[in-house]
Amino acid sequence: MSTSWDTLTELAGTVGEGTIRDLLEKDPSRATRMVVEGAGVTFDYSRQRVDQDVIDALLALADERGVLQRRDAMFAGERINVTEDRSVLHVALRMPKTESLVVDGVDVVQEVHSVLDRMKAFADKVRSGEWVGHTGKRIRNVVNIGIGGSDLGPVMAYLALQDYSDRDLTFRFVSNVDSTDIVEALRDLDPAETLFIVSSKTFTTLETMTNAGAARDWLRKGLGDDADVAKHFVAVSTNATEVAAFGIDTDNMFEFWNWVGGRYSMDSAIGLSTMIAIGPDNFDDMLAGFHAMDEHFRTAPPAANLPLLNGLLSVWNRNFLACPTVAVLPYEQYLSRFPAYLQQLTMESNGKRVRLDGSPVDYETGPIYWGEPGTNGQHSFYQLIHQGTSTIPCDVLFFAESLNPLGDQHDMLIANALAQAAVFALGRTEDEVAAEGVPAELVPHKVMPGNRPCSVIMVQKLTPFALGALVALYEHTVFTAGAVWGIDSFDQWGVELGKVMAANLIPQLKDGVAGAPTQDSATTATVARYRAALGRS
Ligand code: F6P
């Protein structure tokens, strides 16, 4: 691929074959040297299987691959999403009002703030009770209907920032076309007090439009056919035509733009439910956190640039240490959906097999991201991380201060986070196990190979600002890795084929319409079995 790639391949055979235990023993200073800070996030990569030569070669790789030029092109609004011929400007969503970014003759920062102002006015009305439903009752329930980027960000942020939310309001998130999702979400809600936010960039997504229709039916069933639906439905979309066609007054539509990717949209109008939950001021703090990390990514020197280093480390672990997955382990219950959110961000972005010019890659790209909050995961899947046959790099994430201090529990939580990070990195040798008097036959079972690369990420306290900074960290981490791999991290063509096929299958399942002659025999046979199971054949 390049000179640095070759250097890194060589280093993989030396440093990569060594142990983190040795690295830490031989150079204790790495524990303080391999730590960078940005936007209130402290990123400690001293437990990664790297030395300074690896870091230097990774930085040289970033240089050769033009990562910083691509970063600057993104911030300048160039159309770096080449397959969709679009700018990639989620960074504009959090630029302060005093800044300006003109793209195609339009100052996008002013557009962003004019929508933010409308969102704030609306959120205040809902929060204060001024916005009332059809019967005059104030809104007490907010239901976001959306999927993918129009769901995962809102639900993750709501849960993450619940401590800052108005507890008099109930929030629900409906995404799945499985009717159970909406039926359970609405079961105990009073339609007179319920507001639906239909969130969809395209406003054509099957799941969202189907659920929005079901919500409208539920509302009319509860409030009568003459109910003023407009008082209970608002839309967040880029597509005013489809919003109007659905019957939502475009005055009640909060706009965003096609230069915001779905998975990069939680700080756009897609965050309307977040803003209603935590209030406009807290939402502004979250935007400030995003922006602080953007500025860090844009201006910090490469060797001290947190997202750049994190992205390069993910390349090292994926391509040179051959690790196919990454576990994200937040030691913070409020971040229970953070790994799920990151799955879309990372895997829809970097799950690609061709370069920008369409040529196939001859190296691995995006790893699988997964995880659960600690300490729960410790009693579930950590066994495989510790003693399984795959090496799984881990991001261990925690906050110094608890939002709900209770006795010693926070110290216990953090002790567990640090213990796991140490065991991932160092393991426990045969000698150590034997020295504990373990019977010889059990020694191999109790040996922990360690050498699992691990980053420890610490933030002072979970605030809206901190959440924004953390999400932006991962956004730019994904960007960095995608730029090294030379892929388009901002399209998602792989999800389209299944949607088209599902649309063709609906009439087959429902009405027995014949499939196209080209349809595969396995699908045709399963359709027949499904229809038979329902007595439809
Ligand atoms: O199917 C994938 C996807 O297009 C995601 O990229 C997107 O976040 C999601 O569907 C929802 O799309 P929309 O916001 O247009 O409904």
mmCIF file of all heavy atoms in Angstrom, residues 188-216:
data_model
loop_
_atom_site.group_PDB
_atom_site.id
_atom_site.type_symbol
_atom_site.label_atom_id
_atom_site.label_comp_id
_atom_site.label_asym_id
_atom_site.label_seq_id
_atom_site.Cartn_x
_atom_site.Cartn_y
_atom_site.Cartn_z
ATOM 1 N N ASP A 188 -49.555 2.013 27.289
ATOM 2 C CA ASP A 188 -50.041 2.702 28.497
ATOM 3 C C ASP A 188 -50.082 4.222 28.312
ATOM 4 O O ASP A 188 -50.129 4.970 29.295
ATOM 5 C CB ASP A 188 -49.152 2.350 29.697
ATOM 6 C CG ASP A 188 -47.690 2.693 29.439
ATOM 7 O OD1 ASP A 188 -47.331 2.919 28.260
ATOM 8 O OD2 ASP A 188 -46.905 2.750 30.408
ATOM 9 N N LEU A 189 -50.037 4.701 27.067
ATOM 10 C CA LEU A 189 -50.026 6.157 26.866
ATOM 11 C C LEU A 189 -51.413 6.681 26.535
ATOM 12 O O LEU A 189 -52.218 6.001 25.886
ATOM 13 C CB LEU A 189 -49.051 6.541 25.745
ATOM 14 C CG LEU A 189 -47.588 6.124 25.928
ATOM 15 C CD1 LEU A 189 -46.722 6.727 24.814
ATOM 16 C CD2 LEU A 189 -47.041 6.512 27.292
ATOM 17 N N ASP A 190 -51.660 7.904 26.970
ATOM 18 C CA ASP A 190 -52.929 8.581 26.658
ATOM 19 C C ASP A 190 -52.709 9.384 25.376
ATOM 20 O O ASP A 190 -51.859 10.290 25.355
ATOM 21 C CB ASP A 190 -53.275 9.510 27.835
ATOM 22 C CG ASP A 190 -54.521 10.349 27.553
ATOM 23 O OD1 ASP A 190 -55.043 10.278 26.420
ATOM 24 O OD2 ASP A 190 -54.938 11.091 28.468
ATOM 25 N N PRO A 191 -53.465 9.072 24.308
ATOM 26 C CA PRO A 191 -53.243 9.787 23.041
ATOM 27 C C PRO A 191 -53.363 11.303 23.202
ATOM 28 O O PRO A 191 -52.665 12.054 22.525
ATOM 29 C CB PRO A 191 -54.313 9.245 22.096
ATOM 30 C CG PRO A 191 -55.013 8.154 22.802
ATOM 31 C CD PRO A 191 -54.505 8.050 24.212
ATOM 32 N N ALA A 192 -54.233 11.741 24.105
ATOM 33 C CA ALA A 192 -54.441 13.185 24.269
ATOM 34 C C ALA A 192 -53.176 13.888 24.767
ATOM 35 O O ALA A 192 -53.026 15.096 24.606
ATOM 36 C CB ALA A 192 -55.590 13.426 25.254
ATOM 37 N N GLU A 193 -52.274 13.112 25.358
ATOM 38 C CA GLU A 193 -51.060 13.705 25.948
ATOM 39 C C GLU A 193 -49.808 13.295 25.195
ATOM 40 O O GLU A 193 -48.699 13.444 25.708
ATOM 41 C CB GLU A 193 -50.927 13.243 27.411
ATOM 42 C CG GLU A 193 -52.080 13.650 28.300
ATOM 43 C CD GLU A 193 -51.881 13.198 29.743
ATOM 44 O OE1 GLU A 193 -51.108 12.245 29.985
ATOM 45 O OE2 GLU A 193 -52.490 13.818 30.632
ATOM 46 N N THR A 194 -49.977 12.756 23.985
ATOM 47 C CA THR A 194 -48.827 12.164 23.292
ATOM 48 C C THR A 194 -48.449 12.943 22.038
ATOM 49 O O THR A 194 -49.311 13.266 21.207
ATOM 50 C CB THR A 194 -49.140 10.688 22.940
ATOM 51 O OG1 THR A 194 -49.424 9.995 24.165
ATOM 52 C CG2 THR A 194 -47.978 10.020 22.240
ATOM 53 N N LEU A 195 -47.176 13.198 21.919
ATOM 54 C CA LEU A 195 -46.626 13.868 20.741
ATOM 55 C C LEU A 195 -45.717 12.882 20.010
ATOM 56 O O LEU A 195 -44.854 12.261 20.635
ATOM 57 C CB LEU A 195 -45.793 15.078 21.186
ATOM 58 C CG LEU A 195 -45.025 15.800 20.064
ATOM 59 C CD1 LEU A 195 -45.969 16.656 19.222
ATOM 60 C CD2 LEU A 195 -43.906 16.657 20.644
ATOM 61 N N PHE A 196 -45.916 12.745 18.697
ATOM 62 C CA PHE A 196 -45.037 11.898 17.893
ATOM 63 C C PHE A 196 -44.055 12.763 17.114
ATOM 64 O O PHE A 196 -44.451 13.753 16.477
ATOM 65 C CB PHE A 196 -45.859 11.055 16.903
ATOM 66 C CG PHE A 196 -46.702 10.012 17.578
ATOM 67 C CD1 PHE A 196 -48.046 10.259 17.870
ATOM 68 C CD2 PHE A 196 -46.150 8.796 17.941
ATOM 69 C CE1 PHE A 196 -48.817 9.304 18.506
ATOM 70 C CE2 PHE A 196 -46.926 7.830 18.584
ATOM 71 C CZ PHE A 196 -48.266 8.083 18.865
ATOM 72 N N ILE A 197 -42.804 12.374 17.175
ATOM 73 C CA ILE A 197 -41.795 13.002 16.311
ATOM 74 C C ILE A 197 -41.435 11.962 15.261
ATOM 75 O O ILE A 197 -40.849 10.923 15.582
ATOM 76 C CB ILE A 197 -40.525 13.379 17.106
ATOM 77 C CG1 ILE A 197 -40.870 14.299 18.279
ATOM 78 C CG2 ILE A 197 -39.511 14.034 16.187
ATOM 79 C CD1 ILE A 197 -39.662 14.628 19.166
ATOM 80 N N VAL A 198 -41.845 12.213 14.026
ATOM 81 C CA VAL A 198 -41.500 11.269 12.965
ATOM 82 C C VAL A 198 -40.158 11.712 12.390
ATOM 83 O O VAL A 198 -40.054 12.758 11.753
ATOM 84 C CB VAL A 198 -42.590 11.214 11.877
ATOM 85 C CG1 VAL A 198 -42.253 10.128 10.864
ATOM 86 C CG2 VAL A 198 -43.956 10.957 12.509
ATOM 87 N N SER A 199 -39.145 10.914 12.665
ATOM 88 C CA SER A 199 -37.777 11.281 12.304
ATOM 89 C C SER A 199 -37.298 10.404 11.161
ATOM 90 O O SER A 199 -37.148 9.189 11.322
ATOM 91 C CB SER A 199 -36.847 11.069 13.501
ATOM 92 O OG SER A 199 -37.200 11.920 14.564
ATOM 93 N N SER A 200 -37.058 11.017 10.031
ATOM 94 C CA SER A 200 -36.546 10.246 8.899
ATOM 95 C C SER A 200 -35.903 11.197 7.908
ATOM 96 O O SER A 200 -36.567 12.101 7.410
ATOM 97 C CB SER A 200 -37.679 9.467 8.217
ATOM 98 O OG SER A 200 -37.205 8.844 7.051
ATOM 99 N N LYS A 201 -34.651 10.967 7.647
ATOM 100 C CA LYS A 201 -33.962 11.840 6.686
ATOM 101 C C LYS A 201 -34.701 11.822 5.342
ATOM 102 O O LYS A 201 -34.987 12.855 4.766
ATOM 103 C CB LYS A 201 -32.517 11.353 6.540
ATOM 104 C CG LYS A 201 -31.699 12.169 5.567
ATOM 105 C CD LYS A 201 -30.237 11.752 5.600
ATOM 106 C CE LYS A 201 -29.495 12.446 4.470
ATOM 107 N NZ LYS A 201 -28.071 12.118 4.427
ATOM 108 N N THR A 202 -35.010 10.629 4.875
ATOM 109 C CA THR A 202 -35.632 10.506 3.547
ATOM 110 C C THR A 202 -37.151 10.629 3.596
ATOM 111 O O THR A 202 -37.779 10.968 2.594
ATOM 112 C CB THR A 202 -35.299 9.128 2.963
ATOM 113 O OG1 THR A 202 -35.706 8.139 3.927
ATOM 114 C CG2 THR A 202 -33.812 8.990 2.687
ATOM 115 N N PHE A 203 -37.741 10.294 4.710
ATOM 116 C CA PHE A 203 -39.201 10.190 4.890
ATOM 117 C C PHE A 203 -39.811 9.176 3.929
ATOM 118 O O PHE A 203 -40.972 9.279 3.522
ATOM 119 C CB PHE A 203 -39.890 11.560 4.747
ATOM 120 C CG PHE A 203 -40.800 11.854 5.916
ATOM 121 C CD1 PHE A 203 -40.277 12.172 7.162
ATOM 122 C CD2 PHE A 203 -42.197 11.794 5.791
ATOM 123 C CE1 PHE A 203 -41.102 12.410 8.257
ATOM 124 C CE2 PHE A 203 -43.032 12.037 6.874
ATOM 125 C CZ PHE A 203 -42.469 12.350 8.112
ATOM 126 N N THR A 204 -39.021 8.167 3.574
ATOM 127 C CA THR A 204 -39.546 7.084 2.731
ATOM 128 C C THR A 204 -39.233 5.723 3.352
ATOM 129 O O THR A 204 -39.591 4.700 2.777
ATOM 130 C CB THR A 204 -38.893 7.120 1.328
ATOM 131 O OG1 THR A 204 -37.476 7.049 1.492
ATOM 132 C CG2 THR A 204 -39.248 8.386 0.562
ATOM 133 N N THR A 205 -38.570 5.709 4.489
ATOM 134 C CA THR A 205 -38.128 4.438 5.071
ATOM 135 C C THR A 205 -39.339 3.608 5.518
ATOM 136 O O THR A 205 -40.198 4.092 6.269
ATOM 137 C CB THR A 205 -37.183 4.720 6.265
ATOM 138 O OG1 THR A 205 -36.117 5.522 5.772
ATOM 139 C CG2 THR A 205 -36.631 3.453 6.871
ATOM 140 N N LEU A 206 -39.370 2.370 5.017
ATOM 141 C CA LEU A 206 -40.537 1.496 5.233
ATOM 142 C C LEU A 206 -40.954 1.431 6.696
ATOM 143 O O LEU A 206 -42.127 1.634 7.041
ATOM 144 C CB LEU A 206 -40.194 0.084 4.724
ATOM 145 C CG LEU A 206 -41.192 -0.999 5.100
ATOM 146 C CD1 LEU A 206 -42.320 -1.063 4.077
ATOM 147 C CD2 LEU A 206 -40.529 -2.363 5.238
ATOM 148 N N GLU A 207 -39.994 1.153 7.564
ATOM 149 C CA GLU A 207 -40.311 0.950 8.980
ATOM 150 C C GLU A 207 -40.935 2.213 9.573
ATOM 151 O O GLU A 207 -41.964 2.164 10.264
ATOM 152 C CB GLU A 207 -39.037 0.618 9.780
ATOM 153 C CG GLU A 207 -38.408 -0.723 9.472
ATOM 154 C CD GLU A 207 -37.397 -0.668 8.334
ATOM 155 O OE1 GLU A 207 -37.492 0.259 7.489
ATOM 156 O OE2 GLU A 207 -36.533 -1.551 8.279
ATOM 157 N N THR A 208 -40.299 3.347 9.303
ATOM 158 C CA THR A 208 -40.740 4.590 9.931
ATOM 159 C C THR A 208 -42.092 5.026 9.391
ATOM 160 O O THR A 208 -42.979 5.445 10.167
ATOM 161 C CB THR A 208 -39.665 5.675 9.696
ATOM 162 O OG1 THR A 208 -38.439 5.177 10.230
ATOM 163 C CG2 THR A 208 -40.031 6.986 10.351
ATOM 164 N N MET A 209 -42.268 4.930 8.080
ATOM 165 C CA MET A 209 -43.537 5.388 7.526
ATOM 166 C C MET A 209 -44.677 4.465 7.973
ATOM 167 O O MET A 209 -45.789 4.919 8.247
ATOM 168 C CB MET A 209 -43.469 5.462 5.990
ATOM 169 C CG MET A 209 -42.405 6.413 5.455
ATOM 170 S SD MET A 209 -42.052 7.860 6.481
ATOM 171 C CE MET A 209 -43.604 8.736 6.472
ATOM 172 N N THR A 210 -44.389 3.168 8.082
ATOM 173 C CA THR A 210 -45.418 2.228 8.532
ATOM 174 C C THR A 210 -45.794 2.534 9.987
ATOM 175 O O THR A 210 -46.988 2.603 10.342
ATOM 176 C CB THR A 210 -44.898 0.780 8.412
ATOM 177 O OG1 THR A 210 -44.455 0.584 7.085
ATOM 178 C CG2 THR A 210 -45.963 -0.238 8.768
ATOM 179 N N ASN A 211 -44.784 2.739 10.829
ATOM 180 C CA ASN A 211 -45.060 3.032 12.239
ATOM 181 C C ASN A 211 -45.745 4.391 12.404
ATOM 182 O O ASN A 211 -46.610 4.556 13.275
ATOM 183 C CB ASN A 211 -43.765 2.988 13.061
ATOM 184 C CG ASN A 211 -43.380 1.565 13.428
ATOM 185 O OD1 ASN A 211 -44.256 0.748 13.732
ATOM 186 N ND2 ASN A 211 -42.099 1.253 13.404
ATOM 187 N N ALA A 212 -45.373 5.353 11.563
ATOM 188 C CA ALA A 212 -46.020 6.674 11.648
ATOM 189 C C ALA A 212 -47.505 6.537 11.295
ATOM 190 O O ALA A 212 -48.377 7.155 11.938
ATOM 191 C CB ALA A 212 -45.317 7.666 10.725
ATOM 192 N N GLY A 213 -47.795 5.724 10.287
ATOM 193 C CA GLY A 213 -49.205 5.491 9.918
ATOM 194 C C GLY A 213 -49.957 4.817 11.061
ATOM 195 O O GLY A 213 -51.092 5.191 11.393
ATOM 196 N N ALA A 214 -49.298 3.836 11.692
ATOM 197 C CA ALA A 214 -49.946 3.124 12.806
ATOM 198 C C ALA A 214 -50.181 4.088 13.969
ATOM 199 O O ALA A 214 -51.216 4.021 14.660
ATOM 200 C CB ALA A 214 -49.069 1.953 13.253
ATOM 201 N N ALA A 215 -49.247 5.002 14.179
ATOM 202 C CA ALA A 215 -49.394 5.974 15.276
ATOM 203 C C ALA A 215 -50.575 6.905 14.988
ATOM 204 O O ALA A 215 -51.361 7.238 15.883
ATOM 205 C CB ALA A 215 -48.102 6.772 15.424
ATOM 206 N N ARG A 216 -50.688 7.308 13.737
ATOM 207 C CA ARG A 216 -51.808 8.202 13.365
ATOM 208 C C ARG A 216 -53.144 7.474 13.577
ATOM 209 O O ARG A 216 -54.104 8.053 14.103
ATOM 210 C CB ARG A 216 -51.635 8.645 11.907
ATOM 211 C CG ARG A 216 -52.565 9.756 11.487
ATOM 212 C CD ARG A 216 -52.239 10.260 10.093
ATOM 213 N NE ARG A 216 -52.034 9.155 9.161
ATOM 214 C CZ ARG A 216 -51.499 9.280 7.949
ATOM 215 N NH1 ARG A 216 -51.095 10.449 7.514
ATOM 216 N NH2 ARG A 216 -51.359 8.236 7.156
#
